[in-house]
Amino acid sequence: DAGVIQSPRHEVTEMGQEVTLRCKPISGHDYLFWYRQTMMRGLELLIYFNNNVPIDDSGMPEDRFSAKMPNASFSTLKIQPSEPRDSAVYFCASSQVAGAPPGKTQYFGPGTRLLVL
Amino acid sequence: GEDVEQSLFLSVREGDSSVINCTYTDSSSTYLYWYKQEPGAGLQLLTYIFSNMDMKQDQRLTVLLNKKDKHLSLRIADTQTGDSAIYFCAESPPTDTGNQFYFGTGTSLTVIP
């Protein structure tokens, strides 16, 4: 398997612009997670899905952030409008099941490095 | 959520052993994970242990768990320059639904040649 795929790998945009990050989970994985990593706050869980349904979005910082999973092989994280404080590395991860490893182990994508000027 | 704490930095000489420590607060049975993040990359699973185990060994990696103190450690034997990375401890309780992982802040390991 190719692993979790994220695009773009790097994004530079100006404040106020819309940003869309994309993720393709590992085939057959029922869970998908979006994380944000910054020096100040470390790794933060933003939202996760089970079978395309959002389960917990309590980590989404504010209404400017939205995430969708229209099907089992694709998810987006959108920021509109973007602000400089959104600059971070955004990771997508997927896992097969809940319960116990190895099935519940989360596998991470390479991340999208976002810079908002 | 659960609190998972790690020291931020560790520096060792090549060939020495590295010990990275982690504490967690979950009082129930739980799974504990170690992930490695190399520069510019995502997190890569190294190993995991269930909280009813004391130790797990995998080649150069040894995981020790003190359940009473809720203290987890990762020992890397014969540390190499390629081991320089950020190491994350994570805790995830076993559940039939929900699948949250609680990550520590990460420990940045620097290996000095």
Side-chain angles (χ1 to χ4, degrees):
Chain A
D1 199 311
V4 176
I5 299 172
Q6 290 187 247
S7 65
R9 293 294 308 276
H10 302 272
E11 178 81 30
V12 180
T13 190
E14 292 188 344
M15 182 174 64
Q17 296 298 304
E18 177 180 294
V19 175
T20 300
L21 310 181
R22 297 172 176 80
C23 175
K24 176 177 167 43
I26 293 172
S27 177
H29 281 197
D30 291 338
Y31 286 83
L32 183 139
F33 306 80
W34 283 102
Y35 290 89
R36 177 172 68 176
Q37 185 180 37
T38 61
M39 288 293 292
M40 292 297 294
R41 302 170 75 96
L43 196 62
E44 302 174 277
L45 176 65
L46 300 178
I47 185 171
Y48 77 92
F49 296 82
N50 178 24
N51 291 321
N52 313 337
V53 176
I55 301 300
D56 184 350
D57 65 354
S58 59
M60 295 287 264
E62 48 197 276
D63 292 345
R64 297 185 297 106
F65 286 70
S66 62
K68 293 182 180 179
M69 192 165 185
N71 57 63
S73 59
F74 183 65
S75 176
T76 60
L77 178 67
K78 187 174 293 186
I79 308 172
Q80 167 63 20
S82 57
E83 296 182 4
R85 60 193 169 119
D86 301 330
S87 297
V89 182
Y90 291 81
F91 288 105
C92 177
S94 70
S95 71
Q96 193 172 12
V97 295
K104 80 172 291 177
T105 299
Q106 291 189 19
Y107 294 89
F108 282 72
T112 295
R113 281 147 186 80
L114 173 65
L115 178 61
V116 183
L117 302 174
Chain B
E2 317 304 339
D3 282 334
V4 180
E5 296 190 355
Q6 302 178 238
S7 54
L8 292 179
F9 302 101
L10 177 65
S11 182
V12 299
R13 294 206 172 273
E14 188 175 16
D16 289 348
S17 292
S18 308
V19 179
I20 302 169
N21 295 304
C22 169
T23 58
Y24 62 99
T25 59
D26 193 333
S27 59
S28 61
S29 297
T30 192
Y31 292 98
L32 298 150
Y33 297 76
W34 284 104
Y35 281 82
K36 176 184 180 182
Q37 184 182 26
E38 296 181 349
L43 278 70
Q44 174 191 2
L45 176 70
L46 289 177
T47 187
Y48 58 84
I49 190 170
F50 188 52
S51 56
N52 68 352
M53 298 170 64
D54 298 324
M55 186 184 84
K56 182 177 182 180
Q57 187 158 2
D58 183 3
Q59 299 182 341
R60 292 190 299 121
L61 304 180
T62 303
V63 178
L64 294 177
L65 177 60
N66 182 329
K67 188 177 180 180
K68 175 175 171 289
D69 294 337
K70 297 186 177 60
H71 181 267
L72 182 75
S73 67
L74 175 69
R75 179 177 181 270
I76 306 173
D78 187 24
T79 312
Q80 303 297 307
T81 54
D83 295 324
S84 292
I86 301 175
Y87 291 81
F88 289 90
C89 169
E91 181 266 320
S92 182
T95 59
D96 292 330
T97 60
N99 202 9
Q100 275 197 321
F101 277 41
Y102 300 95
F103 284 90
T105 54
T107 298
S108 178
L109 172 65
T110 300
V111 181
I112 304 166

